[in-house]
mmCIF file of all heavy atoms in Angstrom:
data_model
loop_
_atom_site.group_PDB
_atom_site.id
_atom_site.type_symbol
_atom_site.label_atom_id
_atom_site.label_comp_id
_atom_site.label_asym_id
_atom_site.label_seq_id
_atom_site.Cartn_x
_atom_site.Cartn_y
_atom_site.Cartn_z
ATOM 1 N N MET N 877 -8.726 -62.210 3.239
ATOM 2 C CA MET N 877 -9.203 -63.274 2.341
ATOM 3 C C MET N 877 -10.249 -62.735 1.377
ATOM 4 O O MET N 877 -10.177 -62.941 0.174
ATOM 5 C CB MET N 877 -9.798 -64.418 3.169
ATOM 6 C CG MET N 877 -10.148 -65.644 2.320
ATOM 7 S SD MET N 877 -8.675 -66.285 1.482
ATOM 8 C CE MET N 877 -9.408 -67.455 0.379
ATOM 9 N N ALA N 878 -11.224 -62.036 1.900
ATOM 10 C CA ALA N 878 -12.256 -61.472 1.027
ATOM 11 C C ALA N 878 -11.639 -60.507 0.033
ATOM 12 O O ALA N 878 -12.033 -60.467 -1.132
ATOM 13 C CB ALA N 878 -13.320 -60.774 1.858
ATOM 14 N N ALA N 879 -10.646 -59.739 0.494
ATOM 15 C CA ALA N 879 -10.016 -58.779 -0.407
ATOM 16 C C ALA N 879 -9.243 -59.501 -1.506
ATOM 17 O O ALA N 879 -9.231 -59.067 -2.653
ATOM 18 C CB ALA N 879 -9.082 -57.864 0.378
ATOM 19 N N LEU N 880 -8.606 -60.616 -1.145
ATOM 20 C CA LEU N 880 -7.892 -61.402 -2.153
ATOM 21 C C LEU N 880 -8.847 -61.915 -3.217
ATOM 22 O O LEU N 880 -8.582 -61.847 -4.407
ATOM 23 C CB LEU N 880 -7.192 -62.589 -1.483
ATOM 24 C CG LEU N 880 -5.793 -62.331 -0.932
ATOM 25 C CD1 LEU N 880 -5.255 -63.610 -0.311
ATOM 26 C CD2 LEU N 880 -4.870 -61.876 -2.058
ATOM 27 N N LEU N 881 -9.965 -62.460 -2.751
ATOM 28 C CA LEU N 881 -10.947 -62.988 -3.703
ATOM 29 C C LEU N 881 -11.466 -61.873 -4.597
ATOM 30 O O LEU N 881 -11.624 -62.051 -5.808
ATOM 31 C CB LEU N 881 -12.118 -63.625 -2.946
ATOM 32 C CG LEU N 881 -11.827 -65.007 -2.385
ATOM 33 C CD1 LEU N 881 -13.010 -65.481 -1.543
ATOM 34 C CD2 LEU N 881 -11.572 -65.995 -3.511
ATOM 35 N N GLU N 882 -11.714 -60.733 -3.982
ATOM 36 C CA GLU N 882 -12.247 -59.620 -4.750
ATOM 37 C C GLU N 882 -11.257 -59.175 -5.833
ATOM 38 O O GLU N 882 -11.637 -58.929 -6.968
ATOM 39 C CB GLU N 882 -12.572 -58.455 -3.808
ATOM 40 C CG GLU N 882 -13.099 -57.220 -4.501
ATOM 41 C CD GLU N 882 -14.338 -57.503 -5.352
ATOM 42 O OE1 GLU N 882 -15.142 -58.398 -4.975
ATOM 43 O OE2 GLU N 882 -14.493 -56.846 -6.382
ATOM 44 N N SER N 883 -9.962 -59.120 -5.475
ATOM 45 C CA SER N 883 -8.996 -58.673 -6.475
ATOM 46 C C SER N 883 -8.826 -59.732 -7.559
ATOM 47 O O SER N 883 -8.632 -59.401 -8.721
ATOM 48 C CB SER N 883 -7.666 -58.313 -5.807
ATOM 49 O OG SER N 883 -6.853 -59.453 -5.675
ATOM 50 N N ALA N 884 -8.921 -60.997 -7.199
ATOM 51 C CA ALA N 884 -8.830 -62.052 -8.211
ATOM 52 C C ALA N 884 -10.019 -61.971 -9.163
ATOM 53 O O ALA N 884 -9.876 -62.129 -10.376
ATOM 54 C CB ALA N 884 -8.788 -63.421 -7.540
ATOM 55 N N ARG N 885 -11.198 -61.692 -8.592
ATOM 56 C CA ARG N 885 -12.383 -61.609 -9.438
ATOM 57 C C ARG N 885 -12.289 -60.417 -10.390
ATOM 58 O O ARG N 885 -12.686 -60.490 -11.538
ATOM 59 C CB ARG N 885 -13.634 -61.488 -8.564
ATOM 60 C CG ARG N 885 -14.890 -61.895 -9.305
ATOM 61 C CD ARG N 885 -16.074 -61.914 -8.392
ATOM 62 N NE ARG N 885 -16.222 -60.656 -7.699
ATOM 63 C CZ ARG N 885 -17.060 -60.442 -6.699
ATOM 64 N NH1 ARG N 885 -17.798 -61.417 -6.271
ATOM 65 N NH2 ARG N 885 -17.153 -59.270 -6.125
ATOM 66 N N ARG N 886 -11.724 -59.327 -9.871
ATOM 67 C CA ARG N 886 -11.594 -58.150 -10.722
ATOM 68 C C ARG N 886 -10.614 -58.427 -11.867
ATOM 69 O O ARG N 886 -10.830 -58.003 -12.987
ATOM 70 C CB ARG N 886 -11.137 -56.957 -9.887
ATOM 71 C CG ARG N 886 -11.546 -55.635 -10.487
ATOM 72 C CD ARG N 886 -11.257 -54.481 -9.532
ATOM 73 N NE ARG N 886 -11.839 -54.683 -8.222
ATOM 74 C CZ ARG N 886 -11.189 -54.496 -7.060
ATOM 75 N NH1 ARG N 886 -9.941 -54.111 -7.069
ATOM 76 N NH2 ARG N 886 -11.787 -54.673 -5.924
ATOM 77 N N ARG N 887 -9.521 -59.144 -11.537
ATOM 78 C CA ARG N 887 -8.572 -59.485 -12.606
ATOM 79 C C ARG N 887 -9.234 -60.356 -13.657
ATOM 80 O O ARG N 887 -9.025 -60.175 -14.847
ATOM 81 C CB ARG N 887 -7.374 -60.223 -12.020
ATOM 82 C CG ARG N 887 -6.142 -59.337 -11.919
ATOM 83 C CD ARG N 887 -4.868 -60.121 -11.774
ATOM 84 N NE ARG N 887 -4.939 -61.200 -10.816
ATOM 85 C CZ ARG N 887 -4.728 -61.063 -9.507
ATOM 86 N NH1 ARG N 887 -4.434 -59.885 -9.020
ATOM 87 N NH2 ARG N 887 -4.814 -62.080 -8.695
ATOM 88 N N LEU N 888 -10.025 -61.322 -13.200
ATOM 89 C CA LEU N 888 -10.721 -62.178 -14.158
ATOM 90 C C LEU N 888 -11.650 -61.362 -15.041
ATOM 91 O O LEU N 888 -11.729 -61.578 -16.247
ATOM 92 C CB LEU N 888 -11.543 -63.222 -13.404
ATOM 93 C CG LEU N 888 -10.883 -64.576 -13.189
ATOM 94 C CD1 LEU N 888 -11.857 -65.510 -12.489
ATOM 95 C CD2 LEU N 888 -10.460 -65.173 -14.526
ATOM 96 N N ALA N 889 -12.340 -60.414 -14.432
ATOM 97 C CA ALA N 889 -13.239 -59.570 -15.211
ATOM 98 C C ALA N 889 -12.441 -58.768 -16.231
ATOM 99 O O ALA N 889 -12.889 -58.578 -17.369
ATOM 100 C CB ALA N 889 -14.021 -58.643 -14.282
ATOM 101 N N ASP N 890 -11.259 -58.297 -15.842
ATOM 102 C CA ASP N 890 -10.410 -57.556 -16.779
ATOM 103 C C ASP N 890 -9.986 -58.439 -17.941
ATOM 104 O O ASP N 890 -9.974 -58.007 -19.087
ATOM 105 C CB ASP N 890 -9.156 -57.036 -16.067
ATOM 106 C CG ASP N 890 -9.438 -55.796 -15.247
ATOM 107 O OD1 ASP N 890 -10.542 -55.227 -15.394
ATOM 108 O OD2 ASP N 890 -8.565 -55.403 -14.467
ATOM 109 N N VAL N 891 -9.635 -59.686 -17.642
ATOM 110 C CA VAL N 891 -9.205 -60.598 -18.700
ATOM 111 C C VAL N 891 -10.375 -60.887 -19.633
ATOM 112 O O VAL N 891 -10.226 -60.884 -20.853
ATOM 113 C CB VAL N 891 -8.635 -61.891 -18.097
ATOM 114 C CG1 VAL N 891 -8.411 -62.940 -19.176
ATOM 115 C CG2 VAL N 891 -7.329 -61.600 -17.373
ATOM 116 N N ASP N 892 -11.551 -61.131 -19.064
ATOM 117 C CA ASP N 892 -12.729 -61.365 -19.896
ATOM 118 C C ASP N 892 -12.972 -60.184 -20.824
ATOM 119 O O ASP N 892 -13.237 -60.352 -22.009
ATOM 120 C CB ASP N 892 -13.967 -61.554 -19.013
ATOM 121 C CG ASP N 892 -14.070 -62.983 -18.513
ATOM 122 O OD1 ASP N 892 -13.304 -63.838 -19.007
ATOM 123 O OD2 ASP N 892 -14.913 -63.239 -17.656
ATOM 124 N N ALA N 893 -12.876 -58.995 -20.255
ATOM 125 C CA ALA N 893 -13.124 -57.800 -21.056
ATOM 126 C C ALA N 893 -12.081 -57.670 -22.157
ATOM 127 O O ALA N 893 -12.392 -57.281 -23.284
ATOM 128 C CB ALA N 893 -13.115 -56.557 -20.168
ATOM 129 N N ALA N 894 -10.833 -58.020 -21.847
ATOM 130 C CA ALA N 894 -9.771 -57.940 -22.852
ATOM 131 C C ALA N 894 -10.036 -58.920 -23.992
ATOM 132 O O ALA N 894 -9.845 -58.588 -25.161
ATOM 133 C CB ALA N 894 -8.409 -58.229 -22.213
ATOM 134 N N LEU N 895 -10.492 -60.108 -23.641
ATOM 135 C CA LEU N 895 -10.789 -61.102 -24.680
ATOM 136 C C LEU N 895 -11.936 -60.624 -25.559
ATOM 137 O O LEU N 895 -11.907 -60.775 -26.782
ATOM 138 C CB LEU N 895 -11.141 -62.448 -24.038
ATOM 139 C CG LEU N 895 -9.957 -63.169 -23.405
ATOM 140 C CD1 LEU N 895 -10.446 -64.419 -22.674
ATOM 141 C CD2 LEU N 895 -8.928 -63.561 -24.450
ATOM 142 N N GLU N 896 -12.950 -60.018 -24.939
ATOM 143 C CA GLU N 896 -14.073 -59.492 -25.717
ATOM 144 C C GLU N 896 -13.618 -58.388 -26.653
ATOM 145 O O GLU N 896 -14.036 -58.321 -27.807
ATOM 146 C CB GLU N 896 -15.155 -58.927 -24.781
ATOM 147 C CG GLU N 896 -16.100 -59.988 -24.271
ATOM 148 C CD GLU N 896 -17.048 -59.406 -23.235
ATOM 149 O OE1 GLU N 896 -17.329 -58.192 -23.306
ATOM 150 O OE2 GLU N 896 -17.484 -60.167 -22.356
ATOM 151 N N ARG N 897 -12.752 -57.506 -26.116
ATOM 152 C CA ARG N 897 -12.275 -56.410 -26.965
ATOM 153 C C ARG N 897 -11.442 -56.941 -28.119
ATOM 154 O O ARG N 897 -11.517 -56.422 -29.222
ATOM 155 C CB ARG N 897 -11.446 -55.427 -26.140
ATOM 156 C CG ARG N 897 -12.293 -54.515 -25.277
ATOM 157 C CD ARG N 897 -11.519 -53.276 -24.870
ATOM 158 N NE ARG N 897 -10.228 -53.585 -24.288
ATOM 159 C CZ ARG N 897 -10.046 -53.956 -23.016
ATOM 160 N NH1 ARG N 897 -11.085 -54.047 -22.207
ATOM 161 N NH2 ARG N 897 -8.857 -54.225 -22.563
ATOM 162 N N ARG N 898 -10.650 -57.971 -27.847
ATOM 163 C CA ARG N 898 -9.843 -58.512 -28.933
ATOM 164 C C ARG N 898 -10.753 -59.088 -30.014
ATOM 165 O O ARG N 898 -10.516 -58.915 -31.201
ATOM 166 C CB ARG N 898 -8.895 -59.588 -28.406
ATOM 167 C CG ARG N 898 -7.797 -59.889 -29.420
ATOM 168 C CD ARG N 898 -6.756 -60.803 -28.833
ATOM 169 N NE ARG N 898 -7.344 -62.081 -28.459
ATOM 170 C CZ ARG N 898 -6.655 -63.101 -27.947
ATOM 171 N NH1 ARG N 898 -5.374 -62.965 -27.743
ATOM 172 N NH2 ARG N 898 -7.238 -64.219 -27.640
ATOM 173 N N ALA N 899 -11.813 -59.767 -29.581
ATOM 174 C CA ALA N 899 -12.744 -60.326 -30.555
ATOM 175 C C ALA N 899 -13.398 -59.215 -31.364
ATOM 176 O O ALA N 899 -13.699 -59.378 -32.542
ATOM 177 C CB ALA N 899 -13.810 -61.157 -29.835
ATOM 178 N N ALA N 900 -13.603 -58.056 -30.734
ATOM 179 C CA ALA N 900 -14.254 -56.942 -31.403
ATOM 180 C C ALA N 900 -13.247 -56.066 -32.147
ATOM 181 O O ALA N 900 -13.628 -55.101 -32.785
ATOM 182 C CB ALA N 900 -15.026 -56.106 -30.381
ATOM 183 N N GLY N 901 -11.972 -56.391 -32.061
ATOM 184 C CA GLY N 901 -10.959 -55.621 -32.776
ATOM 185 C C GLY N 901 -10.474 -54.404 -32.021
ATOM 186 O O GLY N 901 -9.754 -53.583 -32.578
ATOM 187 N N GLY N 902 -10.863 -54.270 -30.738
ATOM 188 C CA GLY N 902 -10.470 -53.082 -30.001
ATOM 189 C C GLY N 902 -9.393 -53.323 -28.965
ATOM 190 O O GLY N 902 -9.114 -52.452 -28.154
ATOM 191 N N TYR N 903 -8.788 -54.502 -29.006
ATOM 192 C CA TYR N 903 -7.770 -54.799 -28.004
ATOM 193 C C TYR N 903 -6.562 -53.889 -28.175
ATOM 194 O O TYR N 903 -6.122 -53.625 -29.288
ATOM 195 C CB TYR N 903 -7.333 -56.252 -28.119
ATOM 196 C CG TYR N 903 -6.283 -56.632 -27.111
ATOM 197 C CD1 TYR N 903 -6.621 -56.747 -25.777
ATOM 198 C CD2 TYR N 903 -4.973 -56.848 -27.488
ATOM 199 C CE1 TYR N 903 -5.666 -57.079 -24.844
ATOM 200 C CE2 TYR N 903 -4.011 -57.182 -26.568
ATOM 201 C CZ TYR N 903 -4.372 -57.296 -25.240
ATOM 202 O OH TYR N 903 -3.417 -57.628 -24.314
ATOM 203 N N GLY N 904 -6.035 -53.417 -27.047
ATOM 204 C CA GLY N 904 -4.857 -52.572 -27.097
ATOM 205 C C GLY N 904 -5.185 -51.107 -27.286
ATOM 206 O O GLY N 904 -4.293 -50.299 -27.466
ATOM 207 N N VAL N 905 -6.485 -50.772 -27.240
ATOM 208 C CA VAL N 905 -6.902 -49.379 -27.369
ATOM 209 C C VAL N 905 -7.432 -48.918 -26.019
ATOM 210 O O VAL N 905 -8.228 -49.611 -25.383
ATOM 211 C CB VAL N 905 -7.988 -49.228 -28.457
ATOM 212 C CG1 VAL N 905 -8.518 -47.804 -28.492
ATOM 213 C CG2 VAL N 905 -7.425 -49.634 -29.810
ATOM 214 N N CYS N 906 -6.991 -47.751 -25.565
ATOM 215 C CA CYS N 906 -7.414 -47.220 -24.279
ATOM 216 C C CYS N 906 -8.915 -46.963 -24.269
ATOM 217 O O CYS N 906 -9.456 -46.346 -25.185
ATOM 218 C CB CYS N 906 -6.649 -45.927 -23.995
ATOM 219 S SG CYS N 906 -7.215 -45.095 -22.505
ATOM 220 N N GLU N 907 -9.591 -47.423 -23.217
ATOM 221 C CA GLU N 907 -11.036 -47.226 -23.122
ATOM 222 C C GLU N 907 -11.390 -45.778 -22.840
ATOM 223 O O GLU N 907 -12.505 -45.340 -23.098
ATOM 224 C CB GLU N 907 -11.606 -48.084 -21.981
ATOM 225 C CG GLU N 907 -11.805 -49.526 -22.356
ATOM 226 C CD GLU N 907 -12.503 -50.297 -21.249
ATOM 227 O OE1 GLU N 907 -12.710 -49.731 -20.156
ATOM 228 O OE2 GLU N 907 -12.822 -51.466 -21.483
ATOM 229 N N THR N 908 -10.446 -45.051 -22.260
ATOM 230 C CA THR N 908 -10.755 -43.685 -21.849
ATOM 231 C C THR N 908 -10.489 -42.683 -22.959
ATOM 232 O O THR N 908 -11.340 -41.860 -23.277
ATOM 233 C CB THR N 908 -9.942 -43.323 -20.600
ATOM 234 O OG1 THR N 908 -10.230 -44.262 -19.578
ATOM 235 C CG2 THR N 908 -10.301 -41.929 -20.105
ATOM 236 N N CYS N 909 -9.286 -42.759 -23.568
ATOM 237 C CA CYS N 909 -8.932 -41.745 -24.556
ATOM 238 C C CYS N 909 -8.932 -42.283 -25.987
ATOM 239 O O CYS N 909 -8.849 -41.500 -26.929
ATOM 240 C CB CYS N 909 -7.582 -41.109 -24.219
ATOM 241 S SG CYS N 909 -6.190 -42.236 -24.408
ATOM 242 N N GLY N 910 -9.027 -43.609 -26.158
ATOM 243 C CA GLY N 910 -9.109 -44.167 -27.495
ATOM 244 C C GLY N 910 -7.783 -44.296 -28.217
ATOM 245 O O GLY N 910 -7.737 -44.728 -29.357
ATOM 246 N N ARG N 911 -6.699 -43.934 -27.525
ATOM 247 C CA ARG N 911 -5.391 -44.071 -28.158
ATOM 248 C C ARG N 911 -4.826 -45.460 -27.898
ATOM 249 O O ARG N 911 -5.245 -46.135 -26.956
ATOM 250 C CB ARG N 911 -4.424 -43.012 -27.602
ATOM 251 C CG ARG N 911 -4.780 -41.605 -28.086
ATOM 252 C CD ARG N 911 -3.793 -40.605 -27.555
ATOM 253 N NE ARG N 911 -3.786 -40.617 -26.085
ATOM 254 C CZ ARG N 911 -3.134 -39.728 -25.344
ATOM 255 N NH1 ARG N 911 -2.438 -38.776 -25.909
ATOM 256 N NH2 ARG N 911 -3.186 -39.793 -24.031
ATOM 257 N N PRO N 912 -3.873 -45.883 -28.724
ATOM 258 C CA PRO N 912 -3.280 -47.212 -28.511
ATOM 259 C C PRO N 912 -2.544 -47.285 -27.179
ATOM 260 O O PRO N 912 -1.906 -46.313 -26.773
ATOM 261 C CB PRO N 912 -2.290 -47.369 -29.675
ATOM 262 C CG PRO N 912 -2.655 -46.333 -30.672
ATOM 263 C CD PRO N 912 -3.324 -45.209 -29.909
ATOM 264 N N ILE N 913 -2.650 -48.419 -26.526
ATOM 265 C CA ILE N 913 -1.918 -48.645 -25.275
ATOM 266 C C ILE N 913 -0.507 -49.093 -25.638
ATOM 267 O O ILE N 913 -0.317 -49.908 -26.540
ATOM 268 C CB ILE N 913 -2.630 -49.714 -24.438
ATOM 269 C CG1 ILE N 913 -4.065 -49.246 -24.107
ATOM 270 C CG2 ILE N 913 -1.851 -50.003 -23.159
ATOM 271 C CD1 ILE N 913 -4.896 -50.299 -23.402
ATOM 272 N N ALA N 914 0.489 -48.562 -24.935
ATOM 273 C CA ALA N 914 1.890 -48.887 -25.219
ATOM 274 C C ALA N 914 2.115 -50.393 -25.116
ATOM 275 O O ALA N 914 1.639 -51.023 -24.167
ATOM 276 C CB ALA N 914 2.801 -48.150 -24.251
ATOM 277 N N PRO N 915 2.844 -50.953 -26.087
ATOM 278 C CA PRO N 915 3.086 -52.410 -26.080
ATOM 279 C C PRO N 915 3.734 -52.894 -24.797
ATOM 280 O O PRO N 915 3.421 -53.990 -24.322
ATOM 281 C CB PRO N 915 4.020 -52.623 -27.277
ATOM 282 C CG PRO N 915 3.818 -51.435 -28.155
ATOM 283 C CD PRO N 915 3.427 -50.291 -27.258
ATOM 284 N N GLU N 916 4.626 -52.064 -24.209
ATOM 285 C CA GLU N 916 5.284 -52.521 -22.985
ATOM 286 C C GLU N 916 4.293 -52.578 -21.822
ATOM 287 O O GLU N 916 4.439 -53.385 -20.919
ATOM 288 C CB GLU N 916 6.504 -51.655 -22.649
ATOM 289 C CG GLU N 916 6.256 -50.179 -22.610
ATOM 290 C CD GLU N 916 6.486 -49.492 -23.952
ATOM 291 O OE1 GLU N 916 6.261 -50.122 -25.011
ATOM 292 O OE2 GLU N 916 6.878 -48.309 -23.941
ATOM 293 N N ARG N 917 3.269 -51.723 -21.853
ATOM 294 C CA ARG N 917 2.234 -51.799 -20.817
ATOM 295 C C ARG N 917 1.394 -53.056 -21.003
ATOM 296 O O ARG N 917 1.063 -53.743 -20.040
ATOM 297 C CB ARG N 917 1.341 -50.555 -20.892
ATOM 298 C CG ARG N 917 0.143 -50.610 -19.960
ATOM 299 C CD ARG N 917 -0.373 -49.226 -19.674
ATOM 300 N NE ARG N 917 -1.678 -49.232 -19.032
ATOM 301 C CZ ARG N 917 -1.877 -49.494 -17.744
ATOM 302 N NH1 ARG N 917 -0.847 -49.769 -16.978
ATOM 303 N NH2 ARG N 917 -3.088 -49.479 -17.232
ATOM 304 N N LEU N 918 1.058 -53.361 -22.243
ATOM 305 C CA LEU N 918 0.283 -54.577 -22.501
ATOM 306 C C LEU N 918 1.085 -55.821 -22.144
ATOM 307 O O LEU N 918 0.519 -56.821 -21.699
ATOM 308 C CB LEU N 918 -0.133 -54.632 -23.969
ATOM 309 C CG LEU N 918 -1.266 -53.684 -24.351
ATOM 310 C CD1 LEU N 918 -1.517 -53.744 -25.844
ATOM 311 C CD2 LEU N 918 -2.541 -54.015 -23.594
ATOM 312 N N ALA N 919 2.401 -55.739 -22.332
ATOM 313 C CA ALA N 919 3.239 -56.888 -21.979
ATOM 314 C C ALA N 919 3.224 -57.104 -20.472
ATOM 315 O O ALA N 919 3.192 -58.236 -19.991
ATOM 316 C CB ALA N 919 4.664 -56.665 -22.475
ATOM 317 N N ALA N 920 3.225 -55.989 -19.712
ATOM 318 C CA ALA N 920 3.225 -56.094 -18.263
ATOM 319 C C ALA N 920 1.825 -56.415 -17.742
ATOM 320 O O ALA N 920 1.664 -57.133 -16.765
ATOM 321 C CB ALA N 920 3.736 -54.792 -17.645
ATOM 322 N N ARG N 921 0.814 -55.821 -18.384
ATOM 323 C CA ARG N 921 -0.574 -56.027 -17.961
ATOM 324 C C ARG N 921 -1.420 -56.320 -19.177
ATOM 325 O O ARG N 921 -2.036 -55.417 -19.744
ATOM 326 C CB ARG N 921 -1.096 -54.769 -17.252
ATOM 327 C CG ARG N 921 -0.602 -54.604 -15.816
ATOM 328 C CD ARG N 921 -1.565 -53.723 -15.040
ATOM 329 N NE ARG N 921 -2.935 -54.224 -15.126
ATOM 330 C CZ ARG N 921 -4.017 -53.508 -14.840
ATOM 331 N NH1 ARG N 921 -3.911 -52.274 -14.479
ATOM 332 N NH2 ARG N 921 -5.212 -54.042 -14.928
ATOM 333 N N PRO N 922 -1.469 -57.558 -19.608
ATOM 334 C CA PRO N 922 -2.176 -57.891 -20.851
ATOM 335 C C PRO N 922 -3.645 -57.499 -20.837
ATOM 336 O O PRO N 922 -4.237 -57.303 -21.896
ATOM 337 C CB PRO N 922 -2.026 -59.417 -20.951
ATOM 338 C CG PRO N 922 -0.837 -59.743 -20.115
ATOM 339 C CD PRO N 922 -0.817 -58.719 -19.010
ATOM 340 N N ALA N 923 -4.217 -57.383 -19.651
ATOM 341 C CA ALA N 923 -5.646 -57.059 -19.585
ATOM 342 C C ALA N 923 -5.894 -55.577 -19.330
ATOM 343 O O ALA N 923 -7.018 -55.188 -19.023
ATOM 344 C CB ALA N 923 -6.319 -57.894 -18.506
ATOM 345 N N ALA N 924 -4.843 -54.765 -19.460
ATOM 346 C CA ALA N 924 -5.025 -53.332 -19.199
ATOM 347 C C ALA N 924 -6.112 -52.750 -20.095
ATOM 348 O O ALA N 924 -6.168 -53.029 -21.284
ATOM 349 C CB ALA N 924 -3.710 -52.601 -19.434
ATOM 350 N N ARG N 925 -6.982 -51.922 -19.492
ATOM 351 C CA ARG N 925 -8.065 -51.308 -20.267
ATOM 352 C C ARG N 925 -7.739 -49.894 -20.683
ATOM 353 O O ARG N 925 -8.402 -49.333 -21.550
ATOM 354 C CB ARG N 925 -9.354 -51.240 -19.434
ATOM 355 C CG ARG N 925 -9.869 -52.569 -18.996
ATOM 356 C CD ARG N 925 -11.103 -52.353 -18.132
ATOM 357 N NE ARG N 925 -11.488 -53.581 -17.454
ATOM 358 C CZ ARG N 925 -12.749 -53.975 -17.310
ATOM 359 N NH1 ARG N 925 -13.721 -53.241 -17.750
ATOM 360 N NH2 ARG N 925 -13.022 -55.104 -16.697
ATOM 361 N N THR N 926 -6.772 -49.305 -20.005
ATOM 362 C CA THR N 926 -6.468 -47.907 -20.285
ATOM 363 C C THR N 926 -4.971 -47.732 -20.495
ATOM 364 O O THR N 926 -4.173 -48.560 -20.058
ATOM 365 C CB THR N 926 -6.896 -47.002 -19.111
ATOM 366 O OG1 THR N 926 -6.220 -47.435 -17.943
ATOM 367 C CG2 THR N 926 -8.393 -47.072 -18.883
ATOM 368 N N CYS N 927 -4.605 -46.651 -21.168
ATOM 369 C CA CYS N 927 -3.194 -46.360 -21.366
ATOM 370 C C CYS N 927 -2.602 -45.861 -20.046
ATOM 371 O O CYS N 927 -3.315 -45.571 -19.090
ATOM 372 C CB CYS N 927 -3.019 -45.327 -22.471
ATOM 373 S SG CYS N 927 -3.608 -43.676 -22.043
ATOM 374 N N ILE N 928 -1.282 -45.733 -20.049
ATOM 375 C CA ILE N 928 -0.601 -45.380 -18.804
ATOM 376 C C ILE N 928 -1.015 -43.977 -18.338
ATOM 377 O O ILE N 928 -1.133 -43.723 -17.140
ATOM 378 C CB ILE N 928 0.932 -45.498 -18.989
ATOM 379 C CG1 ILE N 928 1.616 -45.682 -17.656
ATOM 380 C CG2 ILE N 928 1.494 -44.347 -19.785
ATOM 381 C CD1 ILE N 928 2.048 -47.107 -17.444
ATOM 382 N N ASP N 929 -1.282 -43.076 -19.272
ATOM 383 C CA ASP N 929 -1.685 -41.712 -18.894
ATOM 384 C C ASP N 929 -3.032 -41.718 -18.182
ATOM 385 O O ASP N 929 -3.232 -41.013 -17.210
ATOM 386 C CB ASP N 929 -1.771 -40.833 -20.140
ATOM 387 C CG ASP N 929 -0.394 -40.518 -20.715
ATOM 388 O OD1 ASP N 929 0.579 -40.592 -19.944
ATOM 389 O OD2 ASP N 929 -0.314 -40.208 -21.906
ATOM 390 N N CYS N 930 -3.967 -42.503 -18.690
ATOM 391 C CA CYS N 930 -5.315 -42.512 -18.109
ATOM 392 C C CYS N 930 -5.369 -43.354 -16.836
ATOM 393 O O CYS N 930 -6.296 -43.197 -16.042
ATOM 394 C CB CYS N 930 -6.310 -43.067 -19.127
ATOM 395 S SG CYS N 930 -6.473 -42.017 -20.582
ATOM 396 N N ALA N 931 -4.402 -44.230 -16.642
ATOM 397 C CA ALA N 931 -4.420 -45.091 -15.471
ATOM 398 C C ALA N 931 -3.953 -44.358 -14.226
ATOM 399 O O ALA N 931 -4.240 -44.773 -13.107
ATOM 400 C CB ALA N 931 -3.549 -46.322 -15.711
ATOM 401 N N THR N 932 -3.237 -43.262 -14.429
ATOM 402 C CA THR N 932 -2.683 -42.572 -13.269
ATOM 403 C C THR N 932 -3.552 -41.390 -12.837
ATOM 404 O O THR N 932 -4.455 -41.007 -13.543
ATOM 405 C CB THR N 932 -1.255 -42.064 -13.547
ATOM 406 O OG1 THR N 932 -1.264 -41.329 -14.763
ATOM 407 C CG2 THR N 932 -0.302 -43.214 -13.686
HETATM 408 ZN ZN1 ZN M 1197 -5.838 -43.278 -22.381
#
């Protein structure tokens, strides 16, 4: 239960961060390498902060 809550909270934090980045014009850009995140990754994970290369 605690783990479920924790993962839900982390997802919410990711969504908040994505909304902030969109407001700042940085949505869809990898936080680690600065390159654009693949559209199919954003479609699967709209709140993704990093590109697929940096996520692995
Ligand atoms: Zn990256």
Side-chain angles (χ1 to χ4, degrees):
M877 188 59 190
L880 273 180
L881 282 175
E882 178 56 33
S883 87
R885 201 174 54 190
R886 205 172 307 133
R887 256 199 315 274
L888 265 183
D890 281 349
V891 170
D892 277 350
L895 289 174
E896 276 174 28
R897 283 200 309 279
R898 196 172 62 178
Y903 180 71
V905 174
C906 174
E907 280 186 353
T908 303
C909 68
R911 289 182 301 188
I913 300 174
E916 52 269 32
R917 174 158 167 78
L918 285 175
R921 283 203 54 197
R925 299 177 192 221
T926 58
C927 69
I928 202 104
D929 289 337
C930 295
T932 51

